[in-house]
Amino acid sequence: MDASGTLAVDAFLGLIVPLWQIVIGLLVLVTVVVSVHRMFLRGPSRMGGALLLVGSAVVGLAVVSYLVQSL
């Protein structure tokens, strides 16, 4: 592939990447909304454990993303 073909592919992928980030973000948002709805249906007895689990997952995700970004 010549240089202009490579630039065209890079430009095309540059346009697609934000679209995939939006799709992934929407899927995560739907998952969170469904899981919060199910948690509220189960009642307050399980909310403490669920909040602890969600909080630790958020902190873990933040740490992993920071480590990946710093590499």
Side-chain angles (χ1 to χ4, degrees):
M1 191 179 293
D2 60 347
S4 64
T6 304
L7 288 175
V9 169
D10 288 342
F12 181 67
L13 288 176
L15 291 172
I16 291 179
V17 168
L19 177 66
W20 283 110
Q21 290 174 346
I22 291 171
V23 169
I24 291 169
L26 287 175
L27 290 175
V28 168
L29 181 65
V30 167
T31 304
V32 168
V33 167
V34 169
S35 64
V36 166
H37 177 69
R38 290 185 68 192
M39 183 178 68
F40 280 123
L41 290 179
R42 288 186 173 191
S45 63
R46 297 196 182 192
M47 280 197 181
L51 288 176
L52 183 62
L53 180 68
V54 169
S56 61
V58 168
V59 169
L61 182 63
V63 168
V64 168
S65 65
Y66 175 75
L67 291 175
V68 168
Q69 186 179 15
S70 65
L71 294 176

